[in-house]
Amino acid sequence: MALLFTGCEAGGDDGEHTRRAADATCDGRIDAPAQITMWFHEPAARGEAEAVRAQVQAFNTSQDEVTVRLVDLPEGQYDDLVRTAAAEGELPDLLDFDAPKLFSHAWAGDLRPIDSCVPESLRADLLPSVLEQGTYRGRLWGLGTFDSGLGLYVRPSVLKKAGVRIPKGIGDAWTADEFTGILKKLRTLGYESPLDLQLPWAGTEWGTYGFAPAVWSAGGDLIERSTYRTADGVLNGPQSVEALTTLQDWAKAGYVDANKDSGAFQKGRSPVSWSGHWRFREFGEAHPGDVTIVPLPDFGTGSATGMGSWQWGMPAGRADGDAVWRFLSFLLRPDEILRMTDVNGGIPATGTAIERTDAFALGVPGRLYIDQLRNGTARPRPQTPAYPAITEAFAEAFEKIMRGDAVKPALDEAVRAVDKDLADHGHYPPTGP
């Protein structure tokens, strides 16, 4: 059965077009009937697993050409199972993974490119950040049904009492110096530790996702991105050191709540929280009518933020790519996107779905996330197979820095770890391992 696919992407020279045609995952036809298997990660948000099961059931009953089988996996072992299955060539036909892990999967040959599957109408509707996060070396390898974002959650009533202006948008962000002064003012109101940085998770992926934007905003980065061959002079460069020194200074001054009970903002100890979209509902319920979201501070080159969440990809194998895409395209329908984001609070991946929401509508606090994802304020984590080594090294350094360790030596150590990984893998040649 012919489907509404556009074939390979237009553009590029004849050689590139020929190569893409040769390894096209989709040709517009399904060899029906087909059965595909899928894996889904152990969800953090309550209701995600139920939503996926409902999507599989809805898809299977809506047509009779493709049957999807959702494989139940042991809890707490998802990443280990994916690594083992990849090494043994036993990945399912459809797999979800945290966005920055896409690059190592694509480099290792675990995935098939999906450029040939995505129609231009859908491509035009997707948030540019979703496409960017799913791209590696000019090919599209994954798509998510939702995206992510960062901001400062603030309580306007408290800021007004302190005589603090509230930024009106991305270009109106507080500078880092201005924000330091705001923290001082909030302390005079009785908030001993007015800033929540979600510190209990500093040594995890949160450390990288949450605070790489401070480095980017200062003009630094986690790796040299023109070649992806070294982190030296970038991760430990002066801009990166300056940004992380500022964050450390806030902690040393006692402005940052330890948040050992995960309730610094909700319980009113900290009227400002550096956090992500997933806290939108929780924080709003804690302080009804007294929560808004403003951009992260500008450390020198403008406010920056993160992006990227869980994405779907097609592992290399014998499954009919068109059959897998039939289900993935079903997940990208507005109703199905919203079925998921209604339970996990994610930012819908398409403009059509976004405009059907209240949380991200024009004029509401959550719209900041949409603006950031569309205007380039949001940046992808480094698009390299070395990302697992980068995030481990950076998060470890960030945790040490927030505990008071000297900034430059901590970053120098992180650089050594990243550059060792690059050298151990021959700097990840484009031909793969």
Side-chain angles (χ1 to χ4, degrees), residues 333-406:
R333 293 179 180 179
D335 286 347
E336 298 307 320
I337 289 174
L338 296 175
R339 189 201 294 262
M340 178 57 71
T341 59
D342 282 349
V343 298
N344 71 7
I347 301 164
T350 65
T352 302
I354 288 167
E355 297 313 315
R356 289 173 51 180
T357 68
D358 293 328
F360 304 104
L362 286 169
V364 303
R367 191 68 180 195
L368 174 70
Y369 294 131
I370 308 302
D371 295 340
Q372 291 181 149
L373 292 170
R374 282 177 168 164
N375 80 345
T377 300
R379 303 185 193 180
R381 283 159 280 182
Q383 294 166 292
T384 168
Y387 183 77
I390 293 171
T391 186
E392 181 179 358
F394 180 83
E396 182 177 344
F398 179 73
E399 185 174 40
K400 290 179 179 178
I401 289 166
M402 297 309 288
R403 289 202 307 256
D405 286 16

Side-chain angles (χ1 to χ4, degrees), residues 214-263:
V215 171
W216 297 333
S217 175
D221 209 336
L222 309 188
I223 191 171
E224 200 284 305
R225 293 209 195 199
S226 65
T227 64
Y228 285 104
R229 294 181 64 86
T230 184
D232 195 25
V234 180
L235 176 52
N236 58 351
Q239 296 91 344
S240 303
V241 171
E242 182 179 1
L244 294 176
T245 298
T246 298
L247 285 163
Q248 186 185 73
D249 287 345
W250 296 341
K252 285 183 174 179
Y255 295 139
V256 180
D257 193 286
N259 201 13
K260 293 180 179 179
D261 62 356
S262 302

Side-chain angles (χ1 to χ4, degrees), residues 275-301:
S275 193
H277 71 271
W278 53 90
R279 288 299 181 90
F280 183 73
R281 294 175 183 169
E282 180 185 1
F283 286 177
E285 290 171 359
H287 304 285
D290 191 27
V291 176
T292 194
I293 311 168
V294 300
L296 296 181
D298 176 357
F299 286 79
T301 69

